[in-house]
Each structure stands twice: as structure tokens, then as C-alpha cells.
Amino acid sequence: MSRTDRARAGAYGAAACAVAYGSMKLAQALGANALADKDPLPPHLREQLLTRDPLFVASHWVLAGAAVVGVLVALATVRPWGARVPRRLLLAITWTLGIFMITRSIGVVGFGFVGDALVLTGVRPPPVEHAALARTLARWDLLLWSPFFLLWGVCWATAGWRLYRRGPHTSAQERQDALGHHRG
């Protein structure tokens, strides 16, 4: 696979992950469980999520909408119509999302591979009254959420790298022509 194909795959991968995430959040907003019980939240927030607290329902609608925007941003990095979007804006969004999601997956912000491993090995034991739940959620995060956010973050970073490599001197028309040439 050529470098250009990998970069395009990153953009389409970011869009696909946004669709998957947005679909789950939309399902939750409409009342489905859709892995809500596997969300690594502190117990009091988890309870609010599972009892469909209005704030959580509203947040799911917002996140579903943000996922739609994410799909459009990811596609803007590879589709001809995206040449009309300011390159610096796309760079800022793709790199910010890529770094945030990779950081989340690693566990610098609490959850992620590092945080989950610390809970599961007992190095950072959870409160005794929630120990079993914390270990269950850490396993789910370690096997599902952290890899998903790592993949999504790498896709965003790859899409951002493609934009960066195109260079700021490339005109919108040149980018549109180049993107149209690779439609295949």
C-alpha cells in the first residue's frame, strides 16, 4: 500500500470510527443500552448513565452530532469538496483529535492501557465497595475502548499527516485536482 493510500485509509478509518461511535451514542440517546453498562465511569456517574439521567441523554445527542461533524472533517481531508475548507483548520482538528484519542488510549488521563493495567494488577486498587465493578470496567476498557480510541487516534493522526505533507503552498485548486485524480 502506497503512502498516499495509507493516508487516505487513515481519513476513511477516522470517518468509519466516527460512524461507529456516533451510531452507539445515537442508540443510547434513543434508549438502547448499546454498551452503556461497559462505559468506564465512576459508580455515581455510571448509575446516572444507566438510569437515563436527562444530562446523559442530552450528552449522547451532542456526541452523536459531534460524530457527524467528525465524519465530515475526516472526509474533508480526502474528498475534492474538502479543498474549500481551510487547511490549517483541518490540521488543527485532525492533530488535536489524534493526540487526544491516542493519549486517552494510553491512559495518561486515567483510563487506558496504563490505568487499566494498574487497576487489574492491584497497583492502583479501586475503592473496596466498587472493586469488582472497577475490575470489570477496566477489562472492558482494556479490550474494547482503549484499542478503539488508539485506532481512531492513529487514523486522525494519519489524516493530519497527509494534510501536513501536502504543504501550505498547495492551492485549493491543486489539492482538488490531485484529490480528483486519485478518486479511483
Side-chain angles (χ1 to χ4, degrees), residues 18-58:
V19 167
Y21 187 78
S23 297
M24 179 188 66
K25 291 302 179 184
L26 178 61
Q28 289 174 347
L30 293 171
N33 182 352
L35 296 171
D37 61 334
K38 309 300 186 247
D39 206 335
L41 292 170
H44 70 284
L45 292 177
R46 183 175 188 273
E47 185 61 33
Q48 287 178 307
L49 171 68
L50 296 177
T51 59
R52 300 199 35 78
D53 179 273
L55 182 62
F56 273 95
V57 173

mmCIF file of all heavy atoms in Angstrom, residues 18-58:
data_model
loop_
_atom_site.group_PDB
_atom_site.id
_atom_site.type_symbol
_atom_site.label_atom_id
_atom_site.label_comp_id
_atom_site.label_asym_id
_atom_site.label_seq_id
_atom_site.Cartn_x
_atom_site.Cartn_y
_atom_site.Cartn_z
ATOM 1 N N ALA A 18 -15.825 7.306 13.538
ATOM 2 C CA ALA A 18 -16.810 8.315 13.934
ATOM 3 C C ALA A 18 -18.230 7.790 13.716
ATOM 4 O O ALA A 18 -19.116 8.025 14.544
ATOM 5 C CB ALA A 18 -16.589 9.621 13.175
ATOM 6 N N VAL A 19 -18.441 7.076 12.621
ATOM 7 C CA VAL A 19 -19.759 6.483 12.361
ATOM 8 C C VAL A 19 -20.098 5.459 13.444
ATOM 9 O O VAL A 19 -21.214 5.452 13.988
ATOM 10 C CB VAL A 19 -19.818 5.835 10.952
ATOM 11 C CG1 VAL A 19 -21.048 4.943 10.804
ATOM 12 C CG2 VAL A 19 -19.801 6.905 9.876
ATOM 13 N N ALA A 20 -19.141 4.597 13.780
ATOM 14 C CA ALA A 20 -19.387 3.574 14.802
ATOM 15 C C ALA A 20 -19.698 4.218 16.154
ATOM 16 O O ALA A 20 -20.679 3.862 16.819
ATOM 17 C CB ALA A 20 -18.175 2.646 14.914
ATOM 18 N N TYR A 21 -18.878 5.168 16.544
ATOM 19 C CA TYR A 21 -19.074 5.844 17.830
ATOM 20 C C TYR A 21 -20.386 6.630 17.840
ATOM 21 O O TYR A 21 -21.168 6.551 18.793
ATOM 22 C CB TYR A 21 -17.885 6.772 18.106
ATOM 23 C CG TYR A 21 -17.897 7.392 19.470
ATOM 24 C CD1 TYR A 21 -17.499 6.666 20.585
ATOM 25 C CD2 TYR A 21 -18.304 8.714 19.652
ATOM 26 C CE1 TYR A 21 -17.499 7.243 21.848
ATOM 27 C CE2 TYR A 21 -18.307 9.292 20.912
ATOM 28 C CZ TYR A 21 -17.906 8.555 22.006
ATOM 29 O OH TYR A 21 -17.908 9.123 23.253
ATOM 30 N N GLY A 22 -20.636 7.373 16.786
ATOM 31 C CA GLY A 22 -21.866 8.156 16.691
ATOM 32 C C GLY A 22 -23.107 7.291 16.689
ATOM 33 O O GLY A 22 -24.121 7.639 17.297
ATOM 34 N N SER A 23 -23.026 6.148 16.020
ATOM 35 C CA SER A 23 -24.166 5.219 15.997
ATOM 36 C C SER A 23 -24.473 4.702 17.391
ATOM 37 O O SER A 23 -25.637 4.597 17.788
ATOM 38 C CB SER A 23 -23.883 4.049 15.059
ATOM 39 O OG SER A 23 -23.726 4.507 13.746
ATOM 40 N N MET A 24 -23.413 4.378 18.146
ATOM 41 C CA MET A 24 -23.601 3.894 19.508
ATOM 42 C C MET A 24 -24.231 4.991 20.373
ATOM 43 O O MET A 24 -25.169 4.741 21.123
ATOM 44 C CB MET A 24 -22.270 3.453 20.109
ATOM 45 C CG MET A 24 -22.390 2.951 21.535
ATOM 46 S SD MET A 24 -20.808 2.657 22.318
ATOM 47 C CE MET A 24 -20.143 4.314 22.406
ATOM 48 N N LYS A 25 -23.718 6.223 20.257
ATOM 49 C CA LYS A 25 -24.251 7.325 21.058
ATOM 50 C C LYS A 25 -25.691 7.652 20.655
ATOM 51 O O LYS A 25 -26.523 7.957 21.509
ATOM 52 C CB LYS A 25 -23.360 8.564 20.947
ATOM 53 C CG LYS A 25 -22.014 8.384 21.621
ATOM 54 C CD LYS A 25 -22.174 8.036 23.088
ATOM 55 C CE LYS A 25 -20.863 7.826 23.786
ATOM 56 N NZ LYS A 25 -21.025 7.407 25.185
ATOM 57 N N LEU A 26 -26.004 7.564 19.369
ATOM 58 C CA LEU A 26 -27.371 7.792 18.917
ATOM 59 C C LEU A 26 -28.296 6.712 19.483
ATOM 60 O O LEU A 26 -29.390 7.013 19.980
ATOM 61 C CB LEU A 26 -27.448 7.800 17.390
ATOM 62 C CG LEU A 26 -28.846 7.977 16.796
ATOM 63 C CD1 LEU A 26 -29.458 9.299 17.221
ATOM 64 C CD2 LEU A 26 -28.782 7.858 15.281
ATOM 65 N N ALA A 27 -27.853 5.469 19.447
ATOM 66 C CA ALA A 27 -28.658 4.379 20.007
ATOM 67 C C ALA A 27 -28.898 4.609 21.499
ATOM 68 O O ALA A 27 -30.015 4.410 21.995
ATOM 69 C CB ALA A 27 -27.964 3.036 19.771
ATOM 70 N N GLN A 28 -27.859 5.049 22.213
ATOM 71 C CA GLN A 28 -28.015 5.327 23.643
ATOM 72 C C GLN A 28 -28.976 6.504 23.865
ATOM 73 O O GLN A 28 -29.792 6.478 24.786
ATOM 74 C CB GLN A 28 -26.656 5.613 24.279
ATOM 75 C CG GLN A 28 -25.781 4.382 24.381
ATOM 76 C CD GLN A 28 -24.382 4.693 24.885
ATOM 77 O OE1 GLN A 28 -23.968 5.851 24.941
ATOM 78 N NE2 GLN A 28 -23.643 3.661 25.223
ATOM 79 N N ALA A 29 -28.892 7.519 23.018
ATOM 80 C CA ALA A 29 -29.795 8.670 23.142
ATOM 81 C C ALA A 29 -31.247 8.255 22.930
ATOM 82 O O ALA A 29 -32.159 8.810 23.541
ATOM 83 C CB ALA A 29 -29.408 9.755 22.139
ATOM 84 N N LEU A 30 -31.445 7.255 22.079
ATOM 85 C CA LEU A 30 -32.796 6.787 21.777
ATOM 86 C C LEU A 30 -33.291 5.731 22.769
ATOM 87 O O LEU A 30 -34.409 5.253 22.642
ATOM 88 C CB LEU A 30 -32.845 6.231 20.354
ATOM 89 C CG LEU A 30 -32.637 7.280 19.256
ATOM 90 C CD1 LEU A 30 -32.474 6.604 17.896
ATOM 91 C CD2 LEU A 30 -33.779 8.278 19.247
ATOM 92 N N GLY A 31 -32.438 5.352 23.746
ATOM 93 C CA GLY A 31 -32.880 4.442 24.793
ATOM 94 C C GLY A 31 -32.248 3.068 24.807
ATOM 95 O O GLY A 31 -32.526 2.281 25.701
ATOM 96 N N ALA A 32 -31.411 2.749 23.861
ATOM 97 C CA ALA A 32 -30.761 1.436 23.846
ATOM 98 C C ALA A 32 -29.595 1.418 24.827
ATOM 99 O O ALA A 32 -29.006 2.455 25.137
ATOM 100 C CB ALA A 32 -30.250 1.116 22.446
ATOM 101 N N ASN A 33 -29.254 0.225 25.286
ATOM 102 C CA ASN A 33 -28.111 0.074 26.177
ATOM 103 C C ASN A 33 -26.813 0.300 25.396
ATOM 104 O O ASN A 33 -25.975 1.089 25.808
ATOM 105 C CB ASN A 33 -28.124 -1.316 26.817
ATOM 106 C CG ASN A 33 -26.974 -1.506 27.783
ATOM 107 O OD1 ASN A 33 -26.073 -0.691 27.898
ATOM 108 N ND2 ASN A 33 -27.008 -2.610 28.493
ATOM 109 N N ALA A 34 -26.636 -0.357 24.277
ATOM 110 C CA ALA A 34 -25.503 -0.178 23.365
ATOM 111 C C ALA A 34 -24.182 0.052 24.085
ATOM 112 O O ALA A 34 -23.520 1.065 23.891
ATOM 113 C CB ALA A 34 -25.785 0.955 22.377
ATOM 114 N N LEU A 35 -23.798 -0.865 24.942
ATOM 115 C CA LEU A 35 -22.531 -0.859 25.680
ATOM 116 C C LEU A 35 -22.457 0.216 26.770
ATOM 117 O O LEU A 35 -21.381 0.460 27.312
ATOM 118 C CB LEU A 35 -21.336 -0.735 24.735
ATOM 119 C CG LEU A 35 -21.133 -1.904 23.766
ATOM 120 C CD1 LEU A 35 -20.052 -1.563 22.747
ATOM 121 C CD2 LEU A 35 -20.766 -3.160 24.531
ATOM 122 N N ALA A 36 -23.560 0.852 27.092
ATOM 123 C CA ALA A 36 -23.536 1.883 28.135
ATOM 124 C C ALA A 36 -23.071 1.297 29.465
ATOM 125 O O ALA A 36 -22.374 1.964 30.228
ATOM 126 C CB ALA A 36 -24.912 2.517 28.287
ATOM 127 N N ASP A 37 -23.430 0.048 29.742
ATOM 128 C CA ASP A 37 -23.026 -0.569 31.004
ATOM 129 C C ASP A 37 -21.549 -0.941 31.025
ATOM 130 O O ASP A 37 -21.029 -1.362 32.050
ATOM 131 C CB ASP A 37 -23.897 -1.788 31.309
ATOM 132 C CG ASP A 37 -23.794 -2.873 30.264
ATOM 133 O OD1 ASP A 37 -23.470 -2.578 29.097
ATOM 134 O OD2 ASP A 37 -24.054 -4.039 30.611
ATOM 135 N N LYS A 38 -20.868 -0.771 29.899
ATOM 136 C CA LYS A 38 -19.433 -1.067 29.815
ATOM 137 C C LYS A 38 -18.595 0.210 29.794
ATOM 138 O O LYS A 38 -17.392 0.181 29.631
ATOM 139 C CB LYS A 38 -19.110 -1.886 28.554
ATOM 140 C CG LYS A 38 -19.962 -3.121 28.359
ATOM 141 C CD LYS A 38 -19.844 -4.101 29.505
ATOM 142 C CE LYS A 38 -20.590 -5.371 29.208
ATOM 143 N NZ LYS A 38 -21.738 -5.608 30.047
ATOM 144 N N ASP A 39 -19.240 1.346 29.935
ATOM 145 C CA ASP A 39 -18.566 2.641 29.913
ATOM 146 C C ASP A 39 -17.785 2.817 31.213
ATOM 147 O O ASP A 39 -18.358 2.729 32.294
ATOM 148 C CB ASP A 39 -19.612 3.751 29.773
ATOM 149 C CG ASP A 39 -19.065 5.000 29.142
ATOM 150 O OD1 ASP A 39 -17.845 5.218 29.224
ATOM 151 O OD2 ASP A 39 -19.857 5.758 28.571
ATOM 152 N N PRO A 40 -16.486 3.062 31.129
ATOM 153 C CA PRO A 40 -15.679 3.180 32.351
ATOM 154 C C PRO A 40 -15.879 4.523 33.048
ATOM 155 O O PRO A 40 -15.123 5.470 32.870
ATOM 156 C CB PRO A 40 -14.247 3.022 31.842
ATOM 157 C CG PRO A 40 -14.295 3.506 30.439
ATOM 158 C CD PRO A 40 -15.669 3.165 29.924
ATOM 159 N N LEU A 41 -16.938 4.591 33.830
ATOM 160 C CA LEU A 41 -17.265 5.799 34.579
ATOM 161 C C LEU A 41 -17.226 5.500 36.072
ATOM 162 O O LEU A 41 -17.436 4.351 36.481
ATOM 163 C CB LEU A 41 -18.680 6.273 34.220
ATOM 164 C CG LEU A 41 -18.910 6.805 32.822
ATOM 165 C CD1 LEU A 41 -20.397 6.997 32.576
ATOM 166 C CD2 LEU A 41 -18.155 8.110 32.623
ATOM 167 N N PRO A 42 -17.013 6.524 36.889
ATOM 168 C CA PRO A 42 -17.153 6.313 38.337
ATOM 169 C C PRO A 42 -18.574 5.840 38.642
ATOM 170 O O PRO A 42 -19.513 6.168 37.916
ATOM 171 C CB PRO A 42 -16.902 7.707 38.920
ATOM 172 C CG PRO A 42 -16.134 8.443 37.865
ATOM 173 C CD PRO A 42 -16.597 7.878 36.550
ATOM 174 N N PRO A 43 -18.751 5.068 39.708
ATOM 175 C CA PRO A 43 -20.061 4.464 40.001
ATOM 176 C C PRO A 43 -21.242 5.425 40.007
ATOM 177 O O PRO A 43 -22.299 5.104 39.459
ATOM 178 C CB PRO A 43 -19.853 3.826 41.381
ATOM 179 C CG PRO A 43 -18.392 3.518 41.406
ATOM 180 C CD PRO A 43 -17.731 4.642 40.664
ATOM 181 N N HIS A 44 -21.116 6.616 40.601
ATOM 182 C CA HIS A 44 -22.266 7.530 40.658
ATOM 183 C C HIS A 44 -22.628 8.046 39.261
ATOM 184 O O HIS A 44 -23.802 8.180 38.937
ATOM 185 C CB HIS A 44 -22.006 8.680 41.635
ATOM 186 C CG HIS A 44 -20.972 9.663 41.182
ATOM 187 N ND1 HIS A 44 -19.617 9.387 41.222
ATOM 188 C CD2 HIS A 44 -21.105 10.905 40.667
ATOM 189 C CE1 HIS A 44 -18.954 10.435 40.745
ATOM 190 N NE2 HIS A 44 -19.829 11.364 40.394
ATOM 191 N N LEU A 45 -21.637 8.287 38.407
ATOM 192 C CA LEU A 45 -21.933 8.708 37.033
ATOM 193 C C LEU A 45 -22.479 7.551 36.208
ATOM 194 O O LEU A 45 -23.369 7.733 35.380
ATOM 195 C CB LEU A 45 -20.680 9.284 36.371
ATOM 196 C CG LEU A 45 -20.174 10.603 36.936
ATOM 197 C CD1 LEU A 45 -18.895 11.033 36.236
ATOM 198 C CD2 LEU A 45 -21.243 11.678 36.841
ATOM 199 N N ARG A 46 -21.956 6.365 36.450
ATOM 200 C CA ARG A 46 -22.455 5.175 35.746
ATOM 201 C C ARG A 46 -23.929 4.961 36.047
ATOM 202 O O ARG A 46 -24.719 4.656 35.159
ATOM 203 C CB ARG A 46 -21.631 3.963 36.167
ATOM 204 C CG ARG A 46 -21.988 2.697 35.460
ATOM 205 C CD ARG A 46 -21.004 1.594 35.881
ATOM 206 N NE ARG A 46 -21.212 0.416 35.074
ATOM 207 C CZ ARG A 46 -22.091 -0.531 35.368
ATOM 208 N NH1 ARG A 46 -22.855 -0.428 36.435
ATOM 209 N NH2 ARG A 46 -22.225 -1.573 34.577
ATOM 210 N N GLU A 47 -24.303 5.155 37.297
ATOM 211 C CA GLU A 47 -25.703 4.998 37.700
ATOM 212 C C GLU A 47 -26.582 6.027 36.981
ATOM 213 O O GLU A 47 -27.673 5.695 36.496
ATOM 214 C CB GLU A 47 -25.839 5.135 39.220
ATOM 215 C CG GLU A 47 -27.232 4.859 39.729
ATOM 216 C CD GLU A 47 -27.725 3.456 39.433
ATOM 217 O OE1 GLU A 47 -26.909 2.512 39.419
ATOM 218 O OE2 GLU A 47 -28.937 3.305 39.192
ATOM 219 N N GLN A 48 -26.115 7.262 36.890
ATOM 220 C CA GLN A 48 -26.872 8.291 36.175
ATOM 221 C C GLN A 48 -27.021 7.920 34.697
ATOM 222 O O GLN A 48 -28.077 8.133 34.107
ATOM 223 C CB GLN A 48 -26.190 9.647 36.302
ATOM 224 C CG GLN A 48 -26.315 10.262 37.665
ATOM 225 C CD GLN A 48 -25.586 11.583 37.733
ATOM 226 O OE1 GLN A 48 -24.414 11.677 37.396
ATOM 227 N NE2 GLN A 48 -26.294 12.607 38.165
ATOM 228 N N LEU A 49 -25.958 7.385 34.121
ATOM 229 C CA LEU A 49 -25.998 6.967 32.712
ATOM 230 C C LEU A 49 -27.033 5.863 32.518
ATOM 231 O O LEU A 49 -27.874 5.945 31.625
ATOM 232 C CB LEU A 49 -24.615 6.486 32.267
ATOM 233 C CG LEU A 49 -24.529 5.816 30.898
ATOM 234 C CD1 LEU A 49 -24.797 6.823 29.790
ATOM 235 C CD2 LEU A 49 -23.151 5.189 30.716
ATOM 236 N N LEU A 50 -26.977 4.861 33.364
ATOM 237 C CA LEU A 50 -27.861 3.700 33.201
ATOM 238 C C LEU A 50 -29.320 4.015 33.532
ATOM 239 O O LEU A 50 -30.218 3.343 33.018
ATOM 240 C CB LEU A 50 -27.352 2.528 34.037
ATOM 241 C CG LEU A 50 -25.975 1.989 33.611
ATOM 242 C CD1 LEU A 50 -25.514 0.873 34.550
ATOM 243 C CD2 LEU A 50 -25.976 1.512 32.170
ATOM 244 N N THR A 51 -29.571 5.034 34.360
ATOM 245 C CA THR A 51 -30.958 5.408 34.666
ATOM 246 C C THR A 51 -31.466 6.486 33.705
ATOM 247 O O THR A 51 -32.549 7.019 33.908
ATOM 248 C CB THR A 51 -31.104 5.919 36.123
ATOM 249 O OG1 THR A 51 -30.258 7.051 36.300
ATOM 250 C CG2 THR A 51 -30.782 4.822 37.115
ATOM 251 N N ARG A 52 -30.671 6.782 32.678
ATOM 252 C CA ARG A 52 -31.050 7.723 31.622
ATOM 253 C C ARG A 52 -31.304 9.131 32.159
ATOM 254 O O ARG A 52 -32.272 9.785 31.815
ATOM 255 C CB ARG A 52 -32.234 7.206 30.824
ATOM 256 C CG ARG A 52 -31.939 5.861 30.158
ATOM 257 C CD ARG A 52 -32.832 5.481 29.023
ATOM 258 N NE ARG A 52 -33.313 6.510 28.152
ATOM 259 C CZ ARG A 52 -32.602 7.096 27.160
ATOM 260 N NH1 ARG A 52 -31.360 6.755 26.950
ATOM 261 N NH2 ARG A 52 -33.160 8.021 26.400
ATOM 262 N N ASP A 53 -30.400 9.575 33.028
ATOM 263 C CA ASP A 53 -30.445 10.947 33.511
ATOM 264 C C ASP A 53 -30.507 11.882 32.302
ATOM 265 O O ASP A 53 -29.799 11.670 31.316
ATOM 266 C CB ASP A 53 -29.176 11.206 34.341
ATOM 267 C CG ASP A 53 -29.127 12.614 34.872
ATOM 268 O OD1 ASP A 53 -28.635 13.503 34.146
ATOM 269 O OD2 ASP A 53 -29.596 12.813 36.010
ATOM 270 N N PRO A 54 -31.362 12.905 32.348
ATOM 271 C CA PRO A 54 -31.513 13.810 31.195
ATOM 272 C C PRO A 54 -30.195 14.431 30.704
ATOM 273 O O PRO A 54 -30.009 14.630 29.509
ATOM 274 C CB PRO A 54 -32.477 14.890 31.701
ATOM 275 C CG PRO A 54 -33.250 14.220 32.789
ATOM 276 C CD PRO A 54 -32.298 13.238 33.422
ATOM 277 N N LEU A 55 -29.288 14.700 31.631
ATOM 278 C CA LEU A 55 -27.990 15.255 31.233
ATOM 279 C C LEU A 55 -27.212 14.262 30.362
ATOM 280 O O LEU A 55 -26.611 14.639 29.357
ATOM 281 C CB LEU A 55 -27.177 15.648 32.469
ATOM 282 C CG LEU A 55 -25.824 16.281 32.183
ATOM 283 C CD1 LEU A 55 -25.988 17.588 31.412
ATOM 284 C CD2 LEU A 55 -25.088 16.532 33.490
ATOM 285 N N PHE A 56 -27.249 12.992 30.732
ATOM 286 C CA PHE A 56 -26.553 11.982 29.936
ATOM 287 C C PHE A 56 -27.237 11.768 28.588
ATOM 288 O O PHE A 56 -26.575 11.606 27.575
ATOM 289 C CB PHE A 56 -26.440 10.653 30.700
ATOM 290 C CG PHE A 56 -25.231 10.600 31.575
ATOM 291 C CD1 PHE A 56 -25.330 10.935 32.917
ATOM 292 C CD2 PHE A 56 -24.007 10.246 31.072
ATOM 293 C CE1 PHE A 56 -24.222 10.912 33.733
ATOM 294 C CE2 PHE A 56 -22.882 10.213 31.877
ATOM 295 C CZ PHE A 56 -22.986 10.549 33.217
ATOM 296 N N VAL A 57 -28.554 11.778 28.579
ATOM 297 C CA VAL A 57 -29.276 11.638 27.313
ATOM 298 C C VAL A 57 -28.909 12.795 26.386
ATOM 299 O O VAL A 57 -28.591 12.597 25.205
ATOM 300 C CB VAL A 57 -30.805 11.564 27.541
ATOM 301 C CG1 VAL A 57 -31.556 11.585 26.222
ATOM 302 C CG2 VAL A 57 -31.166 10.306 28.343
ATOM 303 N N ALA A 58 -28.896 14.008 26.930
ATOM 304 C CA ALA A 58 -28.524 15.181 26.123
ATOM 305 C C ALA A 58 -27.085 15.062 25.632
ATOM 306 O O ALA A 58 -26.784 15.385 24.473
ATOM 307 C CB ALA A 58 -28.706 16.458 26.939
#
